[in-house]
Amino acid sequence: MTRLLLLIVTFGLIGVPALAQTPTPPPDDPDLDLSVSQPDFTVAALPTTLRLPRFKSSFRVTHRFGRSLGAGDFGDLAGDLFGLDSGAQIGLEYRFGVMRGLQAGIRRTSDKTIDLFSQYSVTRQEHGALPLDISAVFAIEGTNNFQDSYSPSLGAIIGRRLGDHGALYLTPMWVNNSNAQPQELVEDNDTIIMGIGGRFRIRPTVYLVAEVTPRLSGYKPNTNQATFAIEKRAGGHMFQLNFSNGFATMPASLARGAYSNDHWYMGFNLARKFY
């Protein structure tokens, strides 16, 4: 009985104050703050310099309808509900914050191409010698569920945030094995592209988006892919309705270009941040 009373008194004098102590708050992570100038990790197909917080993640769906908006007359287009009744190329993407400034992810499209990618934030607009965000990007794509035809790519993202009004981006990138023909039949099997994109905030949660991906050298068939879009932010969600002359959402397919400037397709991106 005496030992029991002693334990109760000891717990009352020592244990309770220890339990009542306020836990130390975690350090503030600016990557968790909303950036209204660049609220998403992509423009339309091109990446942005938005950092993903450590151990947080994001998910994205890309959807490009297969019917050209210029095929047939308006009645035909309306009859197909502006392309919604046609087939589509769909992509699923998941990215994860490995450490502060470093993110990695996987993307798969319905043509069975898998893209493994990573992105590292080299400098930020607020802290670097230049008033720019600069990130390095590396990816490798594989067709047939990453069993055939591999296309590695290496590049940079140079971004400039315009206060709360949006952001501009340049994305120089080298893409290997951009030519889908057998190796012995081609002369050029590399492409250097220069992605140009921008996001412009026209309402507190509404943005206009545009991007184009010129090929500077190497293998560059067809025409340059271009996209314009309008998007809406709702909490951690971003919904983008876009119009483009191609279906590319990965570096190698961007290097191969779009089909024609005479055919444009409707699509959308839907992204969700988990933080």
Side-chain angles (χ1 to χ4, degrees), residues 214-231:
R215 283 79 53 78
L216 303 184
S217 66
Y219 180 68
K220 45 181 180 179
N222 305 321
T223 189
N224 300 323
Q225 178 164 306
T227 302
F228 63 93
I230 185 169
E231 60 186 7

Side-chain angles (χ1 to χ4, degrees), residues 26-41:
D28 180 51
D29 184 355
D31 294 342
L32 290 167
D33 299 335
L34 171 66
S35 174
V36 295
S37 58
Q38 56 172 5
D40 200 9
F41 299 98

Side-chain angles (χ1 to χ4, degrees), residues 197-214:
R199 173 176 276 113
F200 307 95
R201 187 170 175 237
I202 59 172
R203 298 287 297 165
T205 59
V206 178
Y207 301 80
L208 294 179
V209 171
E211 69 174 35
V212 63
T213 314

Side-chain angles (χ1 to χ4, degrees), residues 61 141 143 145 168 191 196 205 257 261:
V61 177
E141 299 170 37
T143 60
N145 290 320
L168 299 173
T191 303
I196 304 169
T205 59
N261 287 326

Side-chain angles (χ1 to χ4, degrees), residues 28-95:
D28 180 51
D29 184 355
D31 294 342
L32 290 167
D33 299 335
L34 171 66
S35 174
V36 295
S37 58
Q38 56 172 5
D40 200 9
F41 299 98
T42 58
V43 183
L46 295 171
T48 72
T49 54
L50 181 64
R51 288 161 57 112
L52 183 60
R54 186 170 70 102
F55 299 156
K56 303 301 181 181
S57 60
S58 175
F59 181 75
R60 182 168 72 116
V61 177
T62 62
H63 196 289
R64 303 293 185 268
F65 295 105
R67 188 197 195 283
S68 170
L69 296 176
D73 57 23
F74 183 80
D76 295 331
L77 185 61
D80 286 339
L81 199 58
F82 302 95
L84 271 69
D85 292 341
S86 64
Q89 179 166 292
I90 301 169
L92 301 177
E93 173 188 296
Y94 177 79
R95 64 177 68 211

